Amino acid sequence: MKRYAGKLSVLIIAGILCGIGVRSLGTLKQFDGQAGFYYQKDVVTGKQLKDFWENASEDAKREIKGLVFFRTETDVEIKNESLGRSETGDLIETTGNMYLVVSGRLVKGSFVTDSDLRGCVLSKKSAELLFGDDDIIGEEIRVGKKTFRVRGIVDLSQSLCMVQGEAENGYPCIRADAPRLPLSVMQQMLAGLVLPECEWISEGNLYYGVGRFFLWLPAWLILSVGIMECRKRMRLIENKVLRAGMEMGIPIAAFLGVCGILLVSLRFSDDYIPTAWSDFAFWTELFRKKRELSITLLGNPFQIADSIMLGSLAAVMAAGVLLFLCLLGRCIHRGEVPSNRSEHYFHSNVQSDCS
C-alpha cells in the first residue's frame, strides 16, 4: 500500500509542477518576439512614431506587429469625484499600441487608441478602490485637471491608470512586437527610433528560449533512465539475434531522442546561430553579451511587461528544476539511477559493458 501511495504522490506532484510550468510558459510565450528599449531621458515623441509608420518600408510594416512609446509617473492622485474617492498610483502615458505595456492582462473592455485622448485603462485594484467594483466601463475618473472615461480593465494588483499622450510629448521607453525578427534585425528596422546608447534592453526571445529549455529539463532524465533500463533488459535476453538488434537500436534511439529534445526545447532566434560552426569565439562572446544584458535588466527598475515576463520565467525554471529533482529522487529510490548505496552495482555494470 505504501508503494502505491508513493507512486501516487509522485504523480500528483509531477502533474502539479507540469501544470505550473506549462501555464507559465504560455504566459512567457506572449513575449516571444517582443523587445523593450529603455532610456533615462526622453528620446522619442509621438510625432516620431507617426512619421515612422508613414515612412516605414513594406518589410517593417509587415514584420512589426506593434510599437509603443511610454513613460511612467509615480504617486499620481486618481479621483472618482462622483463617489468622493481617491487613491495614489502610477500614471502610464503612451502613444501607439498600449497592449504592449501590459501584455496579456486585459480582462474587460479594450485598450485606448491614439485618437482617443480622453479614454483610460485602469487596473483591477484601482477600479475596486475607486468604485468598489471592476465592472465600470464607461465611468469617469479625474487625473490632475483632466477627466477620463474608463475603456478597459487590466488584471494587475497595483494601482495604475493608462492614457494616451499628446503627439508632442516625449517618452523614454520603447517596446516593439515583431514575432519573427531577431533582436539585431529589429534594431536595424527601428534605427531611426532606437538610439545606440540604450541604457537597458528587454529581449523576449531570450527569456522564452531559456524557459523552454528548463521546462524540458526532465525529459533528459527520462531519456537517460529509459536508455539505462533498455540496456539492463538487453543483458537478460538470451536470443543472440534479438540482443544484437537491441545493441544496434539503443544507440539509434538515444540519438533520435537527443535530437528530438533539442528540437523542441531549443527555440532561439537567428542571432544565436553563428555563420560558421567552427567559430567558437562566437559562443563565448554571445554568452558574455546576453549575460550583461540580463544583469543590466535586473539591475534597473522593472517595467510592468518585464515584471510579468521575468516572473513567468522564474516559475517555469522552478517547475522544471523541481520536476527534474522529483523524478531523479524517485529513480534513485527505485535503483534506476546509481546512488552512493548502489555504487557496487554501477561498477559491475561498467565492467560488464567493457567486457
Side-chain angles (χ1 to χ4, degrees):
M1 191 68 179
K2 292 182 179 180
R3 178 183 177 184
Y4 291 110
K7 287 183 178 181
L8 181 60
S9 61
V10 170
L11 287 175
I12 292 174
I13 294 173
I16 293 173
L17 292 174
C18 283
I20 293 173
V22 171
R23 182 176 180 180
S24 299
L25 188 67
T27 301
L28 191 60
K29 190 179 187 302
Q30 298 173 359
F31 300 93
D32 184 26
Q34 291 189 20
F37 307 93
Y38 306 123
Y39 303 84
Q40 298 288 355
K41 59 182 181 180
D42 296 343
V43 293
V44 288
T45 64
K47 186 177 183 303
Q48 284 180 280
L49 179 62
K50 182 179 179 181
D51 293 341
F52 170 80
W53 286 122
E54 290 178 351
N55 301 315
S57 65
E58 291 301 321
D59 288 342
K61 291 179 180 179
R62 182 177 62 255
E63 298 292 345
I64 300 177
K65 304 302 181 183
L67 188 60
V68 65
F69 303 161
F70 65 99
R71 62 183 304 115
T72 303
E73 186 178 350
T74 59
D75 299 328
V76 175
E77 187 178 22
I78 308 170
K79 298 180 180 179
N80 176 1
E81 295 184 332
S82 62
L83 296 179
R85 297 182 179 183
S86 66
E87 63 149 345
T88 301
D90 293 341
L91 175 66
I92 299 182
E93 182 182 313
T94 72
T95 182
N97 299 95
M98 185 182 284
Y99 77 90
L100 288 172
V101 181
V102 287
S103 293
R105 290 304 174 100
L106 184 70
V107 291
K108 290 185 179 179
S110 62
F111 288 109
V112 182
T113 61
D114 281 342
S115 59
D116 184 4
L117 299 182
R118 285 294 177 261
C120 73
V121 173
L122 292 180
S123 66
K124 289 187 69 173
K125 180 179 180 180
S126 293
E128 291 171 356
L129 288 174
L130 295 173
F131 294 90
D133 190 8
D134 60 5
D135 190 15
I136 58 168
I137 303 301
E139 298 289 343
E140 289 187 347
I141 63 166
R142 190 167 184 83
V143 181
K145 298 181 179 180
K146 294 183 178 180
T147 300
F148 297 94
R149 193 171 294 275
V150 179
R151 309 295 189 199
I153 303 294
V154 291
D155 186 13
L156 293 172
S157 59
Q158 66 189 81
S159 297
L160 174 71
C161 178
M162 299 173 62
V163 300
Q164 289 282 1
E166 303 285 346
E168 297 77 15
N169 294 352
Y171 303 92
C173 303
I174 302 171
R175 283 195 71 86
D177 183 17
R180 292 184 295 273
L181 291 185
L183 179 65
S184 60
V185 178
M186 188 188 300
Q187 288 176 300
Q188 292 174 6
M189 288 190 172
L190 300 176
L193 303 175
V194 178
L195 304 180
E197 61 271 14
C198 183
E199 270 82 10
W200 68 98
I201 298 175
S202 168
E203 183 187 358
N205 282 332
L206 170 62
Y207 300 105
Y208 177 60
V210 172
R212 288 181 64 94
F213 173 80
F214 272 89
L215 188 61
W216 282 93
L217 192 61
W220 293 104
L221 177 62
I222 294 173
L223 177 64
S224 300
V225 172
I227 293 172
M228 293 173 61
E229 186 67 21
C230 289
R231 290 172 63 87
K232 187 192 301 183
R233 293 180 181 276
M234 180 188 68
R235 299 188 186 98
L236 302 176
I237 297 176
E238 297 181 357
N239 189 303
K240 294 183 178 180
V241 175
L242 183 57
R243 183 168 181 172
M246 289 190 67
E247 287 179 348
M248 295 179 59
I250 289 175
I252 295 174
F255 175 77
L256 293 176
V258 169
C259 292
I261 295 175
L262 290 175
L263 185 64
V264 298
S265 65
L266 296 183
R267 188 69 60 85
F268 293 94
S269 68
D270 292 344
D271 284 346
Y272 297 82
I273 302 176
T275 54
W277 290 103
S278 58
D279 184 12
F280 298 107
F282 171 86
W283 301 105
T284 55
E285 181 65 16
L286 176 69
F287 178 79
R288 183 189 65 80
K289 288 181 179 179
K290 298 306 177 182
R291 180 175 61 86
E292 291 179 355
L293 184 148
S294 299
I295 292 174
T296 306
L297 177 64
L298 295 172
N300 283 281
F302 289 166
Q303 301 300 329
I304 295 176
D306 297 326
S307 297
I308 299 172
M309 177 182 69
L310 294 175
S312 300
L313 174 63
V316 172
M317 292 174 65
V321 171
L322 290 175
L323 182 57
F324 178 88
L325 295 176
C326 178
L327 296 177
L328 179 62
R330 183 62 182 172
C331 291
I332 292 175
H333 178 73
R334 293 179 57 188
E336 294 176 351
V337 176
S339 62
N340 291 333
R341 295 180 180 179
S342 57
E343 185 177 355
H344 174 73
Y345 170 80
F346 175 69
H347 286 300
S348 64
N349 280 344
V350 173
Q351 293 173 1
S352 175
D353 290 343
C354 293
S355 62

